[in-house]
Amino acid sequence: GIHPNRVISSGPKSEGDLKAEGRNAENWSYDEGVMSIEGQGRLSKKLEVGEQFIARFTVGWTNHPAFQFYFADPLLPEHQVADRYYFQFTSSGIEIKRESTKGRRFTSIVTLNRRPDQYPGRQLKVEIRLDRESSLLYLFLNDEPEGRFKDPVPEPPVGDGIAFMSNGGNESELRISEIELLEWDHKGDRHRTEDRGDPKTDALIETRARRAVTIFLTGVR
């Protein structure tokens, strides 16, 4: 966890950096690193993100946001059932849901009573860390941790795509910027935060079967 995470993708750097889809594709516009839209529309991008990754972006709005961010998404045709996650932000609050092709279609993983008027400047920075090996999600809002959450669906989604969806009315503007996808070594984060025991005693941290083992050394010169 000492080395910085490798950037897989960052932007948007141009109007074509993300693909505008559907009959409302022309609603999107680009200006100096910001994709904006009034009304409804969808943006998507196919990536190779691996089993663990970090997704970051900043969303801004006027009036009331009605917004979804899909991740670990296979990017199937619109309205087709898919295995994926999505972050949802509306006037009712924030939620992360799991969509599945087997059993129950939608399962809520995170629900937060965070209304848009709680965020000054009508802007929110979102960071989601996903560990598909352990089916765990970590959520940060404006750089503050909101918690670690377990996906109750047994098999994690395998898709590598991301998508942004605006569902607002024509009087509502949505702005997406500072999009980053990064590689993430979840073991590095765990090693930095776990208990080290007696701080006056030397310790060696080793990865063994995905678990951190603390070996206390005495009499070492």
Side-chain angles (χ1 to χ4, degrees):
I2 296 173
H3 300 287
N5 297 305
R6 184 180 73 86
V7 177
I8 300 169
S9 177
S10 65
K13 299 175 181 176
S14 67
E15 189 170 3
D17 198 13
L18 293 102
K19 180 182 177 182
E21 301 176 323
R23 62 184 182 275
N24 299 312
E26 70 281 358
N27 289 352
W28 290 98
S29 62
Y30 172 82
D31 183 36
E32 297 184 352
V34 180
M35 294 295 297
S36 60
I37 187 172
E38 292 183 3
Q40 300 181 354
R42 175 182 165 95
L43 293 171
S44 68
K45 187 168 186 175
K46 182 72 170 67
L47 299 162
E48 294 182 5
V49 293
E51 291 298 295
Q52 294 91 27
F53 65 89
I54 297 172
R56 295 173 180 156
F57 60 89
T58 298
V59 56
W61 63 90
T62 58
N63 296 328
H64 304 289
F67 163 74
Q68 292 170 334
F69 168 66
Y70 293 84
F71 55 104
D73 191 340
L75 299 181
L76 299 177
E78 192 175 359
H79 304 305
Q80 185 170 336
V81 180
D83 283 300
R84 58 189 177 182
Y85 301 102
Y86 66 90
F87 170 94
Q88 181 169 274
F89 185 34
T90 68
S91 57
S92 300
I94 289 172
E95 189 173 17
I96 294 181
K97 283 190 173 183
R98 169 74 150 90
E99 184 178 355
S100 177
T101 57
K102 299 178 182 178
R104 186 177 179 180
R105 181 176 177 183
F106 297 109
T107 302
S108 180
I109 298 176
V110 183
T111 303
L112 299 175
N113 183 24
R114 303 294 177 79
R115 300 183 308 277
D117 58 11
Q118 294 180 247
Y119 297 103
R122 297 180 178 181
Q123 183 169 291
L124 176 64
K125 182 178 179 181
V126 179
E127 178 175 323
I128 299 170
R129 302 182 183 188
L130 176 60
D131 173 13
R132 285 191 269 205
E133 289 184 355
S134 303
S135 294
L136 291 173
L137 297 94
Y138 302 74
L139 176 63
F140 297 77
L141 299 177
N142 287 339
D143 297 319
E144 294 294 328
E146 297 293 338
R148 181 182 69 175
F149 307 93
K150 178 74 173 178
D151 179 1
V153 181
E155 296 295 329
V158 298
D160 284 340
I162 61 170
F164 298 89
M165 176 76 79
S166 172
N167 295 307
N170 292 332
E171 74 285 354
S172 297
E173 182 187 21
L174 189 76
R175 300 177 301 277
I176 307 296
S177 62
E178 300 178 326
I179 303 169
E180 280 192 316
L181 275 293
L182 305 99
E183 288 184 345
W184 178 45
D185 180 4
H186 69 290
K187 293 188 291 295
D189 282 355
R190 189 180 73 237
H191 291 171
R192 288 197 304 273
T193 57
E194 66 189 0
D195 184 17
R196 292 291 190 266
D198 185 354
K200 297 180 180 180
T201 305
D202 293 331
L204 173 67
I205 305 301
E206 177 186 356
T207 299
R208 185 177 299 166
R210 295 184 185 170
R211 296 181 64 185
V213 178
T214 304
I215 304 173
F216 293 101
L217 307 177
T218 58
V220 177
R221 297 183 181 276

